[in-house]
Amino acid sequence: MKLLSRKATCNSHGQDSSYFLGWQEYEKNPFHEVRNPAGIIQMGLAENQLSFDILESWLANNPDAAGFKRDGESIFRELALFQDYNGLPSFKNALVEFMAEIRGNKVRFDPNNLVLTAGATSANETLMFCLADPGEAFLLPTPYYPGFDRDLKWRTGVEIVPIHCSSSNGFQITGSALEEAYQQAQKRNLKVKGVLITNPSNPLGTTMSRDELNLLISFVAAKDIHLISDEIYSGTVFDSPSYISITEALMDRNLELTNVWDHVHIVYSLSKDLGLPGFRVGAIYSNNATVVAAATKMSSFGLVSSQTQYLLSVMLSDKKFTSNYITENQKRLKKRCDMLVSGLKNAGIGCLKSNAGLFCWVDMRHLLISKTFEAEMELWKKVLYEVGLNISPGSSCHCTEPGWFRVCFANMSEDTLNLSMQRIKSFVQSITTDGDSRNRRQTVRNSRRRSLTKWVFRLSSYDHEPER
Amino acid sequence: MAIEIEEPSAGLSRVAVSETHGEDSPYFAGWKAYDEDPYDESKNPSGVIQMGLAENQVSFDLLEEYLEQHSEAANWGNGISGFRENALFQDYHGLKSFRKAMASFMEQIRGGRAKFDPDRVVLTAGATAANELLTFILADPGDALLVPTPYYPGFDRDLRWRTGVKIVPVHCNSSNNFQITPQALEAAYNRAEAMNIKVRGLLITNPSNPLGAAIDRPVLEEILNFITQKNIHLVSDEIYSGSVFSSSEFVSIAEILEAQNYKNSERVHIVYSLSKDLGLPGFRVGTIYSYNDKVVTTARRMSSFSLVSSQTQHLLASMLSDTKFTENYIKTNRERLRKRYESIIEGLRNAGIECLKGNAGLFCWMNLSPLLENPTREGELTLWNSILHEVKLNISPGSSCHCSEPGWFRVCFANMNQQTLEVALKRIHDFMEQTKIKKNLL
């Protein structure tokens, strides 16, 4: 037969991982307040649905932006023909200003150093193509966003070597963990080209401390490698400690004229902060002219629709809108996070103390039958089938300690979030009070479900987007 | 074209520093000359006229009219859920309503002679992304795709740059109007074998860029035989399918497959886009249509790197599901392109220049070989330079399209208004007159 390429037949797209089973179950039985109140609540989707009303009201007051009009005049033709990979200047200007505003205007960005891409998914892959050859490696702190396994490795042939972080210090990156990862790569004969961090972190929901940032900067400078800072959640910092972006950290150390300045690259997107994942708006920011030039040409393979660039250029140029949006959005995220944290606390479940993101990193180690990933999977399935919540198991994020789960809070209504907290509370109560008889019945149910699950795993490679 | 690989600078990848993006070719120098001195009817009447850009600007009024009458396509209507749902929609399956509209549009373009299943439509950010994606799926680094010459210069980047796949040209020439022959296909395949390169597929553009002509049915059948016999894939880039001047003259590979009950069709994949037919290159709307389930599934997953904006999908789903609009658009657009084509052919003929007989596209394939001082690539580039700097027309030299015969040029006619086209024709006419005079004096 006409064979396909190795890329097409391998599994690096990552879609056969257990992560997707949860999605499948949710789609078969989705929660709905009225139509299906016993259904599965989706808590595995890092979407920001809290501030759409602010966007909708802006759209209602500014109909020209979506209507292809500028100053009342139609610019439809101009936009329809605009496919310049340098991007719409008015959009890039507005976007870099928005990025600066998110960083408290402590830093400034040059639109000429910005490359637009169809989402951060495209940005991250493009940076891999620019910075590493097939077979080379990037170091990533664990736990990390499951999608990276596909985005960074699939078509590029680049390897990921994990930097192991543990709960003993709140999953912070340490000097020894960095060194160990580097050595591990050497052992595997992999040339390390850089480190990729997500700050604020997915799935931890925390911002990096200045110490961590300084550690990273010194590390990449010493090894003469790159540092990619994926700052896709930078607008979701809702609590102290305040956000220190990589740019700020570099400037505070007066590193603007040094080599390391050229080796640091930022990834951004409007999918999380503005809640617009469908519009495919991502960006690479770099002070390295060669990287900008190469990435710009590569962006031909994933340009942002000019229709969308124009709409957002008008929206983000409205400073009244942006300052109100940023503040209000953060307020709402904090309220939601607090709700989730207290709801979980009420059920005797703790979380990593967080100050950003659209999710919490939840500690369910005490609910595991054993300190193993098998037990984590069992617990995850129980939560999925019995409690009716789809949450993300830490193993799918390559966490080295079993028992941690990522739980999203910004993609549903307050009532739904409250309901999910009630369900968890009942579940915890039931396992802790009714121990033995439940366990016996559970064992039978478990083994039936185990064989069903194995069958499902073997036959399905479920088709869905991995969610951040 | 040699790929120069320098020592990776500042720790960048080989791909980043290679020249395979192709942007240093003379093709782009013409662009530069235009950018520095662009023609404008009133502000710069002696500037360079851009005839190297295959854009379709002849039917915008129809699109604008549609938008005026259907504002909800662009602004999500008044429903609350409209905007949110659309803004959140990032499913790589694509909006079902849009896929259905695309499939139906593609059927209409082919006069209903082929059916398309919306579930086989994979959306990508433009045909640029579609072609690269297919290459990643069908070939491994070091393998090759056969591509008939002359071909679209962008393929050098789209098919090769990040994929590491090679292009082996299938040489076509003017002796038979540049048609693809089984001999040329065999020769290319054998050349690849001799170099120890594994051929994974053949990529054709139908209608052809830069020839501006649709491929005949018998040739398509021969092509299908060839790829079946060699057990390789066929990619048919049909991006100009809606720009054929007369519906009956275009035969899509889809029609031939349908006629043979889809036997052996899992090796065939079609690429399409709205950039040429609808004149919307800025919106980044491309598609891969494959008869191979595994390719559809893999392409869909890979499209994550180049999804179409949901805002744009929403707009176009509305527009393309309106069959009254699409029928009228296809018919009118075709008619206007045909008229433009006829006027340029006549104008060129009056200047003593012949073109390849064309029936599609946004350009014609012009033969200036009689004017070459030397029948070589250098001779062609010299002529091209004079036309660029003296006649002030940016046209595309055949060598940039890897044409094996010097002296042919691609001239676009749909990216300007009629008056500008006439100015361009006058300049060509004058240039030819001067050239004749010069020749008589020698």
Side-chain angles (χ1 to χ4, degrees):
Chain A
M1 227 230 38
K2 328 118 270 312
L3 297 164
L4 300 186
S5 67
R6 286 188 279 271
K7 285 184 183 70
T9 47
C10 73
N11 279 326
S12 304
H13 51 73
Q15 302 234 177
D16 298 327
S17 85
S18 57
Y19 186 66
F20 296 92
L21 178 65
W23 210 301
Q24 206 169 3
E25 292 303 308
Y26 165 75
E27 302 252 306
K28 284 198 279 192
N29 182 21
F31 169 83
H32 188 274
E33 259 155 349
V34 177
R35 294 190 294 249
N36 189 18
I40 296 179
I41 299 175
Q42 174 65 283
M43 303 190 89
L45 211 45
E47 277 175 357
N48 180 0
Q49 296 192 27
L50 305 187
S51 305
F52 276 130
D53 57 317
I54 308 179
L55 295 172
E56 280 156 357
S57 122
W58 186 90
L59 286 171
N61 291 328
N62 298 272
D64 281 4
F68 302 101
K69 289 204 175 85
R70 186 200 288 135
D71 301 327
E73 294 289 311
S74 169
I75 53 166
F76 175 75
R77 289 180 194 218
E78 192 187 305
L79 289 175
L81 291 172
F82 187 86
Q83 56 171 330
D84 181 355
Y85 58 28
N86 289 297
L88 206 61
S90 59
F91 178 47
K92 286 180 31 170
N93 288 336
L95 187 54
V96 296
E97 283 174 13
F98 186 64
M99 287 169 70
E101 197 177 346
I102 282 176
R103 290 156 182 69
N105 286 315
K106 285 180 250 168
V107 299
R108 292 207 60 207
F109 295 107
D110 178 353
N112 293 315
N113 289 345
L114 192 77
V115 180
L116 299 174
T117 62
T121 299
S122 175
N124 280 315
E125 191 201 37
T126 296
L127 274 175
M128 287 299 109
F129 272 121
C130 288
L131 305 177
D133 289 320
E136 296 182 333
F138 258 76
L139 308 181
L140 262 69
T142 66
Y144 62 75
Y145 161 56
F148 280 150
D149 288 325
R150 174 198 64 186
D151 299 351
L152 307 183
K153 304 192 325 177
W154 191 14
R155 304 192 302 181
T156 61
V158 172
E159 290 294 333
I160 293 176
V161 175
I163 300 165
H164 296 300
C165 300
S166 85
S167 59
S168 60
N169 71 339
F171 294 94
Q172 295 206 323
I173 300 173
T174 64
S176 55
L178 278 169
E179 273 306 326
E180 204 202 296
Y182 194 86
Q183 297 309 325
Q184 203 32 44
Q186 312 274 61
K187 270 197 209 121
R188 289 169 59 184
N189 254 321
L190 298 168
K191 180 160 187 222
V192 175
K193 292 310 284 282
V195 179
L196 187 149
I197 59 173
T198 306
N199 181 29
S201 162
N202 173 13
L204 301 178
T206 55
T207 53
M208 274 199 189
S209 65
R210 189 176 291 277
D211 284 345
E212 281 175 283
L213 290 167
N214 283 334
L215 196 57
L216 282 159
I217 291 170
S218 302
F219 180 76
V220 304
K223 304 284 192 219
D224 195 25
I225 58 180
H226 295 274
L227 178 62
I228 297 175
S229 182
D230 185 339
E231 304 190 342
I232 196 180
Y233 290 99
S234 46
T236 65
V237 182
F238 51 74
D239 209 345
S240 61
S242 59
Y243 181 53
I244 306 170
S245 69
I246 194 67
T247 310
E248 197 187 326
L250 287 165
M251 285 173 63
D252 288 350
R253 278 170 68 169
N254 293 315
L255 293 169
E256 293 98 305
L257 300 174
T258 65
N259 269 340
V260 76
W261 186 251
D262 281 350
H263 288 173
V264 174
H265 323 282
I266 300 164
V267 167
Y268 187 54
S269 157
L270 298 180
S271 300
K272 308 298 174 181
D273 295 345
L274 280 187
L276 306 173
F279 288 6
R280 312 318 299 148
V281 182
I284 294 170
Y285 186 91
S286 176
N287 293 305
N288 185 319
T290 316
V291 171
V292 172
T296 301
K297 297 184 177 96
M298 279 190 199
S299 69
S300 303
F301 300 109
L303 295 174
V304 180
S305 168
S306 57
Q307 174 193 19
T308 303
Q309 289 192 52
Y310 179 64
L311 169 67
L312 295 170
S313 72
V314 184
M315 190 188 280
L316 298 185
S317 307
D318 183 344
K319 301 301 179 201
K320 226 171 119 229
F321 164 79
T322 56
S323 73
N324 173 53
Y325 182 93
I326 291 172
T327 321
E328 187 56 34
N329 181 51
Q330 286 167 358
K331 242 190 241 158
R332 296 177 185 187
L333 288 170
K334 175 168 194 334
K335 186 165 176 229
R336 278 304 179 92
C337 180
D338 288 346
M339 269 179 73
L340 177 63
V341 172
S342 62
L344 288 171
K345 190 165 173 215
N346 212 6
I349 298 175
C351 305
L352 182 70
K353 174 115 180 60
S354 67
N355 63 333
L358 310 173
F359 32 74
C360 286
W361 189 235
V362 179
D363 184 359
M364 292 170 88
R365 290 177 291 175
H366 59 296
L367 299 174
L368 294 183
I369 297 175
S370 60
K371 282 206 185 95
T372 61
F373 286 110
E374 288 71 33
E376 179 183 280
M377 272 296 115
E378 281 307 310
L379 178 58
W380 173 67
K381 278 182 226 158
K382 266 203 194 111
V383 173
L384 181 61
Y385 293 111
E386 289 175 32
V387 191
L389 303 179
N390 180 33
I391 60 182
S392 310
S395 51
S396 68
C397 304
H398 301 276
C399 186
T400 44
E401 292 172 39
W404 291 87
F405 291 80
R406 187 191 79 168
V407 181
C408 299
F409 55 69
N411 63 308
M412 66 198 71
S413 71
E414 263 186 34
D415 288 343
T416 307
L417 185 58
N418 279 325
L419 176 61
S420 70
M421 296 297 91
Q422 281 166 36
R423 287 187 186 181
I424 287 233
K425 182 158 189 182
S426 314
F427 169 69
V428 173
Q429 278 170 345
S430 72
I431 351 177
T432 46
T433 58
D434 198 27
D436 288 316
S437 51
R438 259 192 86 80
N439 276 342
R440 255 179 269 127
R441 274 177 302 183
Q442 270 306 71
T443 315
V444 177
R445 234 179 279 158
N446 280 349
S447 64
R448 247 191 262 136
R449 198 176 309 119
R450 246 193 299 263
S451 28
L452 170 69
T453 308
K454 266 200 223 130
W455 173 81
V456 170
F457 277 146
R458 250 185 251 125
L459 291 191
S460 89
S461 34
Y462 185 60
D463 267 331
H464 223 300
E465 261 319 295
E467 253 321 318
R468 278 182 174 251
Chain B
M1 182 155 73
I3 303 169
E4 286 148 27
I5 302 175
E6 315 156 8
E7 193 51 55
S9 63
L12 300 191
S13 67
R14 273 179 231 131
V15 163
V17 301
S18 84
E19 315 249 297
T20 322
H21 52 68
E23 297 220 4
D24 302 323
S25 85
Y27 183 65
F28 295 92
W31 218 298
K32 194 160 166 274
Y34 166 76
D35 277 341
E36 286 166 4
D37 180 21
Y39 171 83
D40 182 287
E41 231 165 326
S42 37
K43 288 181 277 196
N44 189 17
S46 62
V48 175
I49 298 179
Q50 174 65 283
M51 303 191 88
L53 208 45
E55 276 175 358
N56 181 0
Q57 295 192 29
V58 308
S59 305
F60 274 132
D61 58 319
L62 300 175
L63 298 172
E64 285 166 329
E65 195 189 314
Y66 178 86
L67 287 175
E68 250 162 73
Q69 295 167 358
H70 300 90
S71 58
E72 74 285 357
N75 67 19
W76 302 280
N78 291 318
I80 290 184
S81 70
F83 169 72
R84 304 183 178 210
E85 221 174 273
N86 189 232
L88 288 172
F89 187 85
Q90 59 171 325
D91 181 352
Y92 59 29
H93 285 79
L95 222 50
K96 176 124 198 177
S97 57
F98 181 46
R99 278 184 288 120
K100 278 175 90 165
M102 253 311 211
S104 126
F105 188 63
M106 287 169 73
E107 285 174 1
Q108 279 187 287
I109 281 175
R110 290 156 183 73
R113 297 183 298 271
K115 291 216 74 56
F116 291 99
D117 175 359
D119 289 337
R120 291 192 171 283
V121 172
V122 177
L123 301 172
T124 62
T128 299
N131 281 317
E132 190 200 39
L133 213 150
L134 270 176
T135 306
F136 270 120
I137 292 177
L138 305 178
D140 289 309
D143 290 344
L145 291 179
L146 303 182
V147 185
T149 67
Y151 62 76
Y152 161 56
F155 281 156
D156 287 327
R157 173 197 64 187
D158 300 351
L159 308 180
R160 304 185 319 160
W161 189 21
R162 306 192 305 179
T163 61
V165 171
K166 305 184 183 350
I167 292 177
V168 171
V170 178
H171 293 299
C172 302
N173 61 67
S174 59
S175 65
N176 70 340
N177 293 321
F178 295 93
Q179 294 205 321
I180 301 164
T181 65
Q183 295 81 355
L185 288 169
E186 269 311 319
Y189 189 89
N190 294 334
R191 225 180 314 122
E193 278 214 309
M195 295 191 282
N196 251 324
I197 296 170
K198 190 161 182 217
V199 174
R200 300 305 284 269
L202 167 68
L203 188 146
I204 59 175
T205 305
N206 179 28
S208 161
N209 172 15
L211 302 178
I215 301 181
D216 288 342
R217 181 184 291 270
V219 178
L220 287 173
E221 283 165 353
E222 278 169 347
I223 286 172
L224 265 178
N225 285 339
F226 173 77
I227 58 133
T228 308
Q229 185 209 98
K230 299 291 190 216
N231 197 18
I232 61 178
H233 292 275
L234 174 65
V235 176
S236 181
D237 185 341
E238 303 191 348
I239 197 179
Y240 291 100
S241 48
S243 310
V244 186
F245 310 146
S246 142
S247 155
S248 55
E249 293 185 40
F250 172 59
V251 178
S252 162
I253 198 75
E255 292 174 51
I256 302 200
L257 292 175
E258 200 166 294
Q260 60 183 44
N261 259 317
Y262 298 108
K263 193 172 74 137
N264 282 321
S265 59
E266 340 70 81
R267 47 179 91 250
V268 180
H269 325 281
I270 298 174
V271 167
Y272 185 55
S273 157
L274 299 180
S275 300
K276 309 296 177 184
D277 294 344
L278 279 189
L280 305 173
F283 289 5
R284 313 317 299 147
V285 183
T287 132
I288 292 171
Y289 187 92
S290 175
Y291 296 92
N292 182 316
D293 292 346
K294 187 90 214 278
V295 172
V296 171
T297 305
T298 309
R300 210 183 263 143
R301 289 174 182 162
M302 245 188 221
S303 71
S304 302
F305 300 108
S306 43
L307 295 175
V308 178
S309 166
S310 54
Q311 176 192 18
T312 302
Q313 290 190 50
H314 171 80
L315 170 72
L316 295 170
S318 159
M319 195 187 273
L320 297 186
S321 342
D322 185 336
T323 42
K324 213 166 130 240
F325 166 78
T326 53
E327 258 173 49
N328 178 52
Y329 182 93
I330 291 171
K331 201 176 61 166
T332 311
N333 182 53
R334 213 172 245 163
E335 192 46 40
R336 292 178 182 179
L337 288 175
R338 190 181 58 76
K339 281 211 181 88
R340 278 295 179 93
Y341 174 76
E342 280 167 6
S343 75
I344 195 178
I345 292 298
E346 194 189 320
L348 290 174
R349 192 167 287 142
N350 287 340
I353 298 174
E354 286 303 316
C355 296
L356 182 75
K357 175 121 181 51
N359 60 353
L362 311 174
F363 32 73
C364 56
W365 189 235
M366 183 171 75
N367 185 8
L368 294 183
S369 55
L371 275 79
L372 294 185
E373 283 187 21
N374 295 307
T376 59
R377 185 169 175 267
E378 289 68 35
E380 176 185 285
L381 288 177
T382 307
L383 177 58
W384 171 70
N385 246 304
S386 332
I387 295 177
L388 180 61
H389 293 111
E390 295 166 28
V391 192
K392 305 285 218 74
L393 300 178
N394 179 32
I395 61 180
S396 311
S399 49
S400 68
C401 303
H402 301 276
C403 186
S404 45
E405 283 174 42
W408 291 84
F409 292 79
R410 187 191 78 168
V411 186
C412 298
F413 56 71
N415 63 309
M416 64 196 73
N417 61 27
Q418 185 68 28
Q419 292 87 322
T420 308
L421 182 58
E422 274 154 32
V423 171
L425 287 169
K426 171 128 200 338
R427 289 186 189 179
I428 292 181
H429 191 267
D430 294 344
F431 172 71
M432 290 300 284
E433 289 295 298
Q434 286 163 27
T435 309
K436 259 190 259 169
I437 293 170
K438 272 193 215 146
K439 278 213 165 137
N440 289 336
L441 289 177
L442 286 169

